[in-house]
Amino acid sequence: MTSELPSADRPVSPDGPRRPRLLIFDVNETLSDMSPMGQRFEDVGAPAHLAKAWFAGVLRDGFALTAVGVNESFATIAAAALRVVLHGQRLDRDADAAIQHVMEGFSGLPVHADVPDGVRALRAVGIPLVTMSNGAASVADQLLARAGIRDHFEALLSVEDASLWKPAAAAYAYALGRSGVDPMDAVLVAVHPWDIDGAARAGLATAWVNRTGGPYPDCFRAPDLRVGSLTELAEELAGRGR
């Protein structure tokens, strides 16, 4: 774990953010392990590697709509992107059935291996936890319930109830408003650099979960904390003063 110097406009300590009053978690890929979605593509006769290209396309299309002020549901965008990605593939069923089968994969995803113990450790530190997802809150609810950690989260929030997708500032403002916490007292926890950047520009402190050991893009604002797992994040925050 390493700490970065925070942005000048955020009043946090030089060795990383102060002990927060709230942790806001991204859901897709941060908490959920989406690798089983590749099998869903194979189930319908498409290559497993299309799953990553499809999800990247979902984010791209969601961000594009956000840029013009449109807030469309994750499910709608994901299904439309699937129809494009699966076009021309030799599927073993019709396109509608294939799309339904892939989309149903979200209802059975597991969490990453570090998530259950990490969430319990973070909650034991005494910091309230919420989620803020570009997907539906119901998906987060099912995910966390399967992992046995749903009761550790005080609220499951979604951009479907906000005005725009993350990384628009309005999405983070919605989560802060629902939680009654100022930006300087909240930490956004995510694996996506674009999410870290968006939260930082909205005034939040940030923690980047880097499970793969890959580099962080220089074009984005740097995270305040870099950790390899949620358990590591809990250890870091447990050592900070109240």
Side-chain angles (χ1 to χ4, degrees), residues 56-240:
V58 174
L59 294 179
R60 177 203 63 210
D61 294 349
F63 297 162
L65 290 172
T66 294
V68 296
V70 175
N71 186 19
E72 186 57 83
S73 75
F74 181 93
T76 298
I77 296 172
L82 265 177
R83 192 170 298 279
V84 173
V85 168
L86 294 177
H87 179 73
Q89 298 293 323
R90 295 185 177 181
L91 305 178
D92 64 5
R93 64 199 78 186
D94 64 54
D96 289 340
I99 290 168
Q100 180 178 351
H101 180 76
V102 174
M103 292 294 292
E104 287 174 349
F106 280 104
S107 65
L109 290 178
V111 295
H112 289 285
D114 63 294
V115 170
D117 287 345
V119 164
R120 294 184 183 104
L122 286 165
R123 194 65 189 93
V125 173
I127 304 172
L129 315 178
V130 302
T131 64
M132 182 61 186
S133 177
N134 281 344
S138 60
V139 173
D141 184 80
Q142 294 170 18
L143 174 76
L144 299 173
R146 287 193 301 274
I149 53 175
R150 170 61 184 89
D151 58 349
H152 292 289
F153 289 82
E154 297 200 353
L156 305 181
L157 307 176
S158 168
V159 298
E160 290 186 349
D161 299 313
S163 57
L164 291 171
W165 276 36
K166 297 181 298 177
Y172 306 104
Y174 169 76
L176 294 169
R178 281 287 307 270
S179 304
V181 174
D182 292 332
M184 69 181 69
D185 291 319
V187 173
L188 186 281
V189 183
V191 298
H192 303 116
W194 57 261
D195 206 355
I196 296 294
D197 181 79
R201 294 178 189 277
L204 286 73
T206 57
W208 182 44
V209 183
N210 182 15
R211 296 187 179 97
T212 65
Y216 188 88
D218 292 338
C219 59
F220 290 131
R221 289 196 179 185
D224 295 305
L225 296 174
R226 301 175 187 236
V227 296
S229 66
L230 295 192
T231 50
E232 191 176 336
L233 178 61
E235 292 170 1
E236 168 64 23
L237 293 179
R240 296 182 181 272

